[in-house]
Amino acid sequence: MIKLNDEQLKAVNNINGPMLVLAGAGSGKTRVIISRIINMLKKGISQSSILALTFTNKAANEMSTRIKQIYKKKLPKLTICTFHSFGVKILKNEIDKLGYKKNFCIYDTTDKQSLIKETAKELEYKLEEMNYYNMSYLFSQIKTNRVEWDPFTEQYKKLFVEYQHNLKVYNSVDFDDLILLPIKIFTEHPDVLKKYKDRYKYFLVDEFQDTSEIQYHLIKSLAEDCRNICAVGDDDQSIYSWRGACFDNIINFEIDFNEFKEVRLEQNYRSTDKILLAANELISKNQNRKPKKLWTNKNKGELLKIILPENEKHEGQIIAERVKSILMKNKILYKDFGILVRANSLTRSIEEALLTENLPYKVSGGMSFFQRKEVKDIVAYLRVIANPDDDVNLLRIINLPHRGLGKKTIEQLTIIARKKSCSLFSSATAAVLASDSPLSNKITQALDEFVSLINYYRTKMLSGKGMGKSLLSLIEHIDYWAYLLSEYKKANVAKWKYMNTENLVNSLAEYEKDPDNLNPNLFEYLNRISLFSREENDENKNNDRINLMTIHSAKGLEFNTVFIAGVEKDIIPHARSLEENENNIEEERRLFYVAITRAKKRLYILSCKSRNKRGKVEETLPSQFLEDIPDNLFEFIDTDDVMTSEDAVSSFGQLKDMFKK
DNA sequence: CGTCTCCAGGTTTTT
DNA sequence: CCTGGAGACG
């Protein structure tokens, strides 16, 4: 079994009553959680009474895989998932209590924005003064009680109410609803709450610092009677406040579960002394934190290395070269490298360099498979087939490929729909049947064909058999290939996009035949893919690849060698973040802290002298956070590998000069 | 009335 | 650099 220190053992063995584990970066947190669950199982606690909540699907999968590996038994009833998946689980069984149908559909950020757009049109809001991104953010904050209406936002109250109304009419929910609706069900139906309280008796919340107020509310309502709840977190790694993460939850926990035991894990097993010292120094500049000091007995680590490439292209090349030379001198694998960036757009230049050098890599985060236009198109068909009342997705496909059903037709359908207060699909069905339809013959016929198409595939797919085949035939039926060719002039682009739709078919077919899915059906498949915004890499594929990702998605991971690219002013900390609120500087610092503490042995920090922004080359300065790290912890590396001490001095002077600018 | 073409504007992080 | 929207055209 895994070796544990005294503090870790405390966290593993005290399974009754509330427990707060403050686990610093690299302190063996995952090990503790896994051991704790295995310990519970060994003591005879039933697997179905355990609920472990994680922050990402990736973390959930990893955890359950490792537990099964160690425990060597099947654990079909052990629940390890994200808050959102847990919400879906509850809604799948109980959503009818709120008057939704069970084939509800989950709207992602894009769908949500489309719905707001559509609703705004309906209410004749002036479009130009609205930013849908901000509007969807505002609505989320309102829904989750993070802000109140103010004199400026009040004008959008009507839009918000109508948005909520439309969601329900379309039998759809957004991400916030996945937490809010279960809370609502529990509040309004105590018998349902009791059912879940009777089932779950042991709770574990990972990344507790990143839970939102409503997530805490949900877990609290389930755990407050049995009181066996273990929260594991680290305030220094709270990097999701923009999404509602509220580390006051740690304080709330201490009040609500006041008999709690506390364990602090401060020994770091991950990083060398130099890396850890740098991280400690950096994070100590934050005012708003619980004081702590991580320590390690791994001494004599290498210095941190700072490199100043000319531009982002050069940056990619340097990383690729470094990876190669480290691989030659050390016994490590591709997957032991992590390349971290602040924003998804920064991966591009690095990817190009890795491709040129034939280095295998995988990107996590960013535009995921399911967000690609061509995949969303086909998924939109599936969504309408599963839930014809889903107007947002219906609008996406009604004239894709072109069927001659344009703006005017939709306008007329909308009028009918509003009159009868029904969905567009119902109004389309009605219009086809009606004798006094205001639509021309040609259009009625096209509409009829569309409605029949959906109904035909609906019957086919809801039988639950051969969904993959049906989908393929649907794609051929609508001649999506011809559509792609007409949309994209370059044949290879169209081909690539068509391949993605084929991959979607494969993914559906694989889902269907996976024995782990007890009752495969279209609804479950759709719910599943809306929660997996990231491509989950097949475990059986070649997994030895360099990891390229945003800092946010690197949370919880560790790598032998880490490169942090683009450590420049306005990127880390990000200009937009500071623009929003000056106080965000502390969260940005935590973000950099998370990046640094991913490294076990070697840490490279790259800061370009110039960078191509929107097609324009701009001079850049190093990140102000580099000033928080003591000089004696890093060295400068010349861009042509080894560097003379003279160069080091001049380069160092260069950096200092840059700060003075 | 639908489609095609061209142009401007916007690009933090994620379930 | 890619998307979405406005306006011309058929």
Side-chain angles (χ1 to χ4, degrees):
Chain A
M1 182 97 188
I2 315 164
K3 257 201 214 158
L4 297 166
N5 67 31
D6 288 354
E7 288 301 299
Q8 290 175 328
L9 277 172
K10 257 192 232 168
V12 169
N13 290 329
N14 286 288
I15 54 179
N16 291 308
M19 152 99 64
L20 183 61
V21 180
L22 298 170
S27 63
K29 182 191 70 168
T30 313
R31 213 179 321 169
V32 165
I33 295 175
I34 289 172
S35 310
R36 187 180 161 94
I37 293 175
I38 288 175
N39 183 29
M40 286 179 179
L41 293 168
K42 283 195 174 151
K43 285 194 173 153
I45 289 169
S46 123
Q47 46 168 303
S48 65
S49 66
I50 300 173
L51 173 63
L53 293 166
T54 60
F55 196 66
T56 61
N57 291 302
K58 200 177 191 170
N61 286 337
E62 219 172 272
M63 205 173 280
S64 71
T65 313
R66 277 176 66 180
I67 289 176
K68 283 171 196 166
Q69 262 169 16
I70 300 172
Y71 197 63
K72 295 198 174 78
K73 275 186 204 154
K74 290 214 163 175
L75 296 164
K77 291 197 169 157
L78 175 68
T79 318
I80 303 180
C81 61
T82 63
F83 269 99
H84 290 87
S85 318
F86 182 62
V88 174
K89 270 183 221 279
I90 295 172
L91 293 183
K92 218 161 62 186
N93 295 323
E94 321 290 347
I95 199 167
D96 50 334
K97 311 249 176 349
L98 296 176
Y100 291 78
K101 285 176 275 174
K102 291 216 174 184
N103 58 343
F104 68 92
C105 153
I106 303 166
Y107 277 7
D108 68 15
T109 323
T110 333
D111 298 326
K112 184 180 176 182
Q113 283 175 38
S114 315
L115 178 55
I116 295 174
K117 218 178 271 185
E118 193 197 317
T119 311
K121 250 183 223 161
E122 197 182 309
L123 293 181
E124 290 168 352
Y125 269 87
K126 278 179 223 127
L127 298 170
E128 62 270 20
E129 61 189 46
M130 278 218 304
N131 174 328
Y132 295 103
Y133 178 83
N134 290 338
M135 200 55 54
S136 102
Y137 186 58
L138 172 71
F139 285 5
S140 180
Q141 287 183 305
I142 295 277
K143 271 180 102 147
T144 58
N145 276 325
R146 281 185 276 149
V147 299
E148 308 251 299
W149 294 107
D150 65 31
F152 174 74
T153 55
E154 210 152 38
Q155 52 178 318
Y156 299 112
K157 214 169 173 172
K158 228 174 97 192
L159 179 60
F160 173 71
V161 172
E162 194 58 21
Y163 163 77
Q164 291 279 70
H165 175 77
N166 279 342
L167 263 183
K168 190 149 183 194
V169 173
Y170 304 161
N171 201 33
S172 304
V173 301
D174 62 19
F175 280 132
D176 297 317
D177 288 332
L178 294 180
I179 313 296
L180 285 170
L181 296 184
I183 292 176
K184 199 166 175 217
I185 293 170
F186 287 164
T187 319
E188 291 173 5
H189 302 269
D191 52 315
V192 179
L193 175 60
K194 184 167 180 300
K195 190 168 92 189
Y196 287 90
K197 273 185 175 173
D198 286 344
R199 168 168 178 181
Y200 295 108
K201 296 290 182 192
Y202 293 88
F203 300 86
L204 210 148
V205 188
D206 190 14
E207 306 285 5
F208 190 65
Q209 76 284 352
D210 283 323
T211 51
S212 66
E213 227 179 303
I214 54 170
Q215 287 170 335
Y216 178 63
H217 185 126
L218 179 66
I219 195 84
K220 185 183 141 195
S221 61
L222 285 168
E224 63 190 347
D225 287 347
C226 72
R227 307 192 80 71
N228 302 319
I229 177 170
C230 174
V232 185
D234 176 10
D235 55 338
D236 286 333
Q237 292 183 69
S238 166
I239 53 175
Y240 281 93
S241 71
W242 49 275
R243 218 181 79 182
C246 159
F247 64 64
D248 285 351
N249 279 343
I250 298 186
I251 297 160
N252 294 331
F253 181 93
E254 292 174 351
I255 298 167
D256 295 329
F257 296 94
N258 62 346
E259 76 277 29
F260 77 102
K261 293 194 185 94
E262 183 179 294
V263 170
R264 282 168 178 265
L265 305 179
E266 290 185 316
Q267 180 175 0
N268 177 300
Y269 293 95
R270 181 186 292 155
S271 311
T272 65
D273 54 337
K274 306 285 188 307
I275 293 169
L276 198 59
L277 272 171
N280 278 343
E281 285 296 326
L282 173 82
I283 202 67
S284 70
K285 302 289 188 298
N286 270 5
Q287 302 299 309
N288 188 12
R289 69 186 284 260
K290 291 193 170 213
K292 63 177 93 69
K293 211 141 219 165
L294 287 175
W295 59 277
T296 178
N297 48 26
K298 291 188 184 176
N299 295 321
K300 296 188 189 157
E302 289 178 28
L303 291 171
L304 276 63
K305 294 172 180 64
I306 297 193
I307 304 182
L308 304 173
E310 292 304 320
N311 53 41
E312 74 279 356
K313 208 177 155 190
H314 192 202
E315 180 180 58
Q317 288 165 352
I318 291 172
I319 294 175
E321 276 163 26
R322 281 272 140 182
V323 168
K324 279 195 186 167
S325 86
I326 293 172
L327 275 173
M328 269 197 296
K329 291 178 209 150
N330 300 274
K331 271 197 176 160
I332 58 172
L333 300 165
Y334 289 120
K335 68 174 180 195
D336 297 320
F337 290 90
I339 306 172
L340 311 184
V341 292
R342 173 66 231 266
N344 288 306
S345 57
L346 301 174
T347 56
R348 208 184 186 103
S349 49
I350 298 166
E351 266 185 86
E352 274 162 21
L354 296 176
L355 278 172
T356 314
E357 298 296 327
N358 274 323
L359 291 164
Y361 68 92
K362 61 181 168 199
V363 198
S364 358
M367 177 85 100
S368 87
F369 177 70
F370 292 107
Q371 284 169 344
R372 290 170 214 258
K373 193 181 173 307
E374 62 278 17
V375 178
K376 280 214 84 165
D377 286 347
I378 303 302
V379 169
Y381 270 95
L382 288 178
R383 288 201 186 285
V384 173
I385 287 165
N387 171 23
D389 293 334
D390 179 348
D391 278 14
V392 168
N393 282 296
L394 183 109
L395 285 173
R396 185 179 183 114
I397 58 166
I398 193 165
N399 204 27
L400 184 162
H402 301 302
R403 305 188 166 86
L405 299 171
K407 224 159 79 190
K408 263 274 127 61
T409 313
I410 287 162
E411 238 166 60
Q412 279 168 315
L413 288 178
T414 313
I415 295 170
I416 303 173
R418 230 176 289 166
K419 229 187 273 167
K420 301 189 176 172
S421 88
C422 68
S423 67
L424 281 174
F425 190 80
S426 315
S427 82
T429 310
V432 171
L433 297 172
S435 48
D436 58 339
S437 158
L439 305 168
S440 74
N441 273 344
K442 207 174 115 199
I443 287 173
T444 311
Q445 205 193 335
L447 205 54
D448 189 14
E449 269 170 38
F450 175 71
V451 170
S452 308
L453 178 87
I454 298 298
N455 285 332
Y456 173 71
Y457 282 98
R458 184 170 163 78
T459 323
K460 248 185 143 175
M461 296 234 170
L462 294 197
S463 76
K465 283 192 197 117
M467 292 191 289
K469 272 200 183 128
S470 302
L471 182 60
L472 189 61
S473 104
L474 170 67
I475 293 171
E476 281 162 9
H477 193 144
I478 61 175
D479 205 354
Y480 194 67
W481 170 241
Y483 169 77
L484 284 176
L485 272 183
S486 71
E487 285 288 292
Y488 302 95
K489 297 282 137 68
K490 293 175 204 139
N492 55 340
V493 175
K495 204 171 169 186
W496 162 252
K497 297 203 174 239
Y498 193 73
M499 260 171 51
N500 279 329
T501 68
E502 287 178 328
N503 285 336
L504 178 70
V505 173
N506 290 340
S507 135
L508 178 58
E510 249 160 58
Y511 161 79
E512 222 170 351
K513 68 171 189 226
D514 186 343
D516 282 355
N517 301 320
L518 301 172
N519 174 27
N521 62 74
L522 187 57
F523 309 124
E524 199 193 74
Y525 176 74
L526 289 172
N527 286 347
R528 179 181 291 224
I529 63 175
S530 24
L531 291 180
F532 283 78
S533 81
R534 234 177 284 164
E535 246 167 299
E536 305 297 318
N537 287 290
D538 298 313
E539 294 303 319
N540 38 14
K541 266 197 189 157
N542 176 19
N543 257 336
D544 182 25
R545 289 187 273 170
I546 299 168
N547 299 282
L548 177 54
M549 61 179 81
T550 63
I551 302 172
H552 280 90
S553 36
K555 194 153 91 137
L557 305 178
E558 58 178 27
F559 306 99
N560 174 291
T561 300
V562 167
F563 297 86
I564 313 176
V567 186
E568 291 147 33
K569 187 173 175 296
D570 294 345
I571 296 182
I572 300 179
H574 201 282
R576 277 190 80 102
S577 164
L578 298 185
E579 225 170 79
E580 231 165 59
N581 187 338
E582 275 186 11
N583 299 327
N584 284 345
I585 186 92
E586 295 217 337
E587 176 147 323
E588 293 288 314
R589 192 179 274 114
R590 288 194 292 272
L591 197 53
F592 192 42
Y593 173 78
V594 168
I596 290 175
T597 52
R598 295 313 92 195
K600 288 158 116 172
K601 255 192 131 157
R602 275 176 287 263
L603 178 63
Y604 286 84
I605 291 172
L606 296 104
S607 169
C608 295
K609 293 174 190 160
S610 72
R611 183 174 288 276
N612 204 324
K613 287 177 183 167
R614 258 180 283 167
K616 273 198 170 166
V617 178
E618 281 177 32
E619 296 269 309
T620 46
L621 300 175
S623 162
Q624 50 270 51
F625 288 152
L626 293 182
E627 290 175 280
D628 296 341
I629 300 176
D631 299 349
N632 61 348
L633 292 176
F634 55 72
E635 62 182 328
F636 279 86
I637 299 288
D638 186 40
T639 50
D640 300 322
D641 218 334
V642 195
M643 152 186 232
T644 64
S645 53
E646 252 176 351
D647 288 339
V649 172
S650 74
S651 200
F652 187 72
Q654 204 173 2
L655 181 72
K656 289 273 156 173
D657 285 346
M658 283 168 127
F659 281 131
K660 279 177 206 141
K661 264 187 205 170

